[in-house]
Amino acid sequence: MALTREDINLEDIKRDAKIETVLRHVISQDVEIAHLKDEQSEISNDIKRRDETISKLEDDIQLLKKEKRWNMLWRNSLEEDIAKTQIVLVIAFLINILFTFFMSR
């Protein structure tokens, strides 16, 4: 009764309270959306860095494969050279033995 004497309308108070509640909710939602956008940006940057790292590692793998092929070719060449050198040394050793044998007679 005192409210009606002072010309205060309860419906206006309820409506103002609902508007204030909705406004607080909207503001908190805006803050949450901004936070989620920041997280999305961080995740996007992390994905970009990961993709760059993967690309660099793939390049390194390709270089290592090329280097491995080159090393295998070089190793094969060295093995062939060693085999040829061993044959030459065996022939020289045999010639030396024959020379020594004929010189001792």
Side-chain angles (χ1 to χ4, degrees), residues 26-37:
V26 167
I27 290 172
S28 69
Q29 291 297 319
D30 285 346
V31 169
E32 184 67 23
I33 288 170
H35 176 71
L36 291 174
K37 283 183 179 179

Side-chain angles (χ1 to χ4, degrees), residues 7-52:
D7 199 27
I8 296 176
N9 188 350
L10 286 176
E11 294 302 318
D12 288 343
I13 293 173
K14 288 180 184 177
R15 185 173 21 96
D16 290 345
K18 286 180 183 177
I19 290 172
E20 188 175 326
T21 303
V22 168
L23 186 59
R24 274 193 232 131
H25 181 69
V26 167
I27 290 172
S28 69
Q29 291 297 319
D30 285 346
V31 169
E32 184 67 23
I33 288 170
H35 176 71
L36 291 174
K37 283 183 179 179
D38 288 343
E39 284 185 15
Q40 181 183 18
S41 176
E42 288 177 21
I43 290 171
S44 176
N45 289 338
D46 288 344
I47 289 171
K48 286 178 186 175
R49 281 192 296 272
R50 186 204 66 195
D51 289 345
E52 289 173 359

Side-chain angles (χ1 to χ4, degrees), residues 28-93:
S28 69
Q29 291 297 319
D30 285 346
V31 169
E32 184 67 23
I33 288 170
H35 176 71
L36 291 174
K37 283 183 179 179
D38 288 343
E39 284 185 15
Q40 181 183 18
S41 176
E42 288 177 21
I43 290 171
S44 176
N45 289 338
D46 288 344
I47 289 171
K48 286 178 186 175
R49 281 192 296 272
R50 186 204 66 195
D51 289 345
E52 289 173 359
T53 302
I54 289 171
S55 176
K56 288 178 184 177
L57 288 173
E58 287 173 344
D59 291 345
D60 289 346
I61 289 170
Q62 291 299 324
L63 287 173
L64 288 172
K65 285 181 179 178
K66 287 179 183 177
E67 185 176 327
K68 180 181 176 182
R69 276 188 237 123
W70 187 84
N71 284 340
M72 289 176 67
L73 290 173
W74 191 50
R75 182 177 176 197
N76 289 341
S77 175
L78 285 176
E79 288 173 356
E80 290 173 6
D81 290 345
I82 289 171
K84 290 176 184 175
T85 304
Q86 287 174 340
I87 292 170
V88 168
L89 288 175
V90 166
I91 292 172
F93 180 73

